[in-house]
Amino acid sequence: MHNYNVLESALFFSSPIRFEKLKKQVDGKTILITGASSGIGKELAFLFAQTTAHLILVARRGDLMNAMKTEIEKSSAKVTVFQADLRNDVDLNELLAFLHQLEGGVDIIVSNAGISINRPIARSLERYHDFTRTMALNYFAPIQLLLSLIPVLAKNKGHIVNVSTINVLLFPLPYWAAYQASKTAFDTWLRSAEPELALNNISTTSIYLPLVKTPMIEPTVAYRTSPAMSAVHVAEIIGHALYSRRRTYKPWWLIIGQWASLLFRAPLSYITPKFLARKERERGNA
């Protein structure tokens, strides 16, 4: 564990957040956080606790968010809990109706909700829903939210933060087709829309994250003991981006991975099938 802590410190170091600047930036503003009941969304909500922001927490687990509301409102922030599954059209439309009736509208949207699936294609042949549900939450839901709220964000000179993954910038990995395709789709959409949004006084920030210690990684056994960034650290990165207007965040070492993806694309395309074949043989003999 100690060795992991040393490695994590080297891989995921960051500058200290200036809370007074964050407070000045968000005081009195309305902040929508999706995927707010745990992990990054939860830690971000608590980061705002000592501001006068109005936090709108959205997730499926209302009981967890209500417990958060009780704790956060012991400080100065105001919290509204909106229980919703953003893959569900009825829930999403009800959320949009609620947001549009808010006095002053929404100032900041943190698109954090997501679903991750690690599954070989051979085991997905009868599971088309793996792809529809990842696209529904990781791509279609945030687009529907933004298309509806862009006029409000433009009026408020708002800010959109997309919590993304480094995988969208690297060589695609086997077993992650559903997840990577959906996350890449929204990343590309937002980067394409960014110049148009800027013309409408809307700032955007894309946070490209490595492995993060959240409940999402639990189903993947190999990740449970891997070096990973803390959700508190990510919350501070998002907080820093809100007052610095930083357009992207990437780990310092990601450039190495991007160059490797570019330079070794052909060798990786050759080696990867052989590696997978050996792995499947080992699994069959186990």
Side-chain angles (χ1 to χ4, degrees), residues 72-86:
I72 290 171
E73 289 191 337
K74 290 177 182 178
S75 298
S76 51
K78 175 186 175 183
V79 176
T80 297
V81 168
F82 198 102
Q83 184 174 355
D85 184 341
L86 297 181

Side-chain angles (χ1 to χ4, degrees), residues 59-73:
R60 291 177 297 163
R61 295 175 290 182
D63 56 335
L64 297 181
M65 292 188 292
N66 282 318
M68 292 168 58
K69 173 183 170 71
T70 300
E71 288 300 312
I72 290 171
E73 289 191 337

Side-chain angles (χ1 to χ4, degrees), residues 59-136:
R60 291 177 297 163
R61 295 175 290 182
D63 56 335
L64 297 181
M65 292 188 292
N66 282 318
M68 292 168 58
K69 173 183 170 71
T70 300
E71 288 300 312
I72 290 171
E73 289 191 337
K74 290 177 182 178
S75 298
S76 51
K78 175 186 175 183
V79 176
T80 297
V81 168
F82 198 102
Q83 184 174 355
D85 184 341
L86 297 181
R87 297 170 296 184
N88 183 295
D89 288 339
V90 173
D91 286 7
L92 187 49
N93 285 326
E94 288 180 354
L95 172 62
L96 288 172
F98 166 75
L99 295 173
H100 280 292
Q101 59 82 39
L102 288 173
E103 184 178 355
V106 178
D107 299 284
I108 298 167
I109 297 176
V110 180
S111 180
N112 171 64
I115 184 172
S116 175
I117 295 177
N118 174 276
R119 183 168 288 123
I121 291 296
R123 298 182 185 178
S124 301
L125 301 182
E126 303 296 328
R127 297 180 61 91
Y128 176 62
H129 62 278
D130 282 351
F131 300 88
T132 56
R133 63 184 174 140
T134 49
M135 289 298 285

Side-chain angles (χ1 to χ4, degrees), residues 132-203:
T132 56
R133 63 184 174 140
T134 49
M135 289 298 285
L137 186 58
N138 296 348
Y139 181 54
F140 293 121
I143 287 179
Q144 188 171 347
L145 271 173
L146 294 180
L147 289 178
S148 182
L149 295 172
I150 280 171
V152 178
L153 292 171
K155 180 181 178 181
N156 293 344
K157 296 183 179 179
H159 197 152
I160 299 165
V161 178
N162 175 32
V163 179
S164 190
T165 170
I166 61 172
N167 298 51
V168 306
L169 304 176
L170 298 173
F171 186 84
L173 295 173
Y175 303 157
W176 294 98
Y179 176 67
Q180 286 197 228
S182 61
K183 295 296 282 188
T184 301
F186 184 62
D187 176 67
T188 300
W189 184 91
L190 187 60
R191 287 191 290 118
S192 178
E194 181 182 7
E196 299 176 66
L197 296 171
L199 284 176
N200 286 281
N201 299 310
I202 302 172
S203 302

Side-chain angles (χ1 to χ4, degrees), residues 166 169 206-209 246 248-254 258:
I166 61 172
L169 304 176
S206 293
I207 311 287
Y208 296 103
L209 296 175
R246 182 171 176 175
T248 61
Y249 166 82
K250 305 173 186 177
W252 63 267
W253 42 264
L254 181 60
Q258 288 179 293

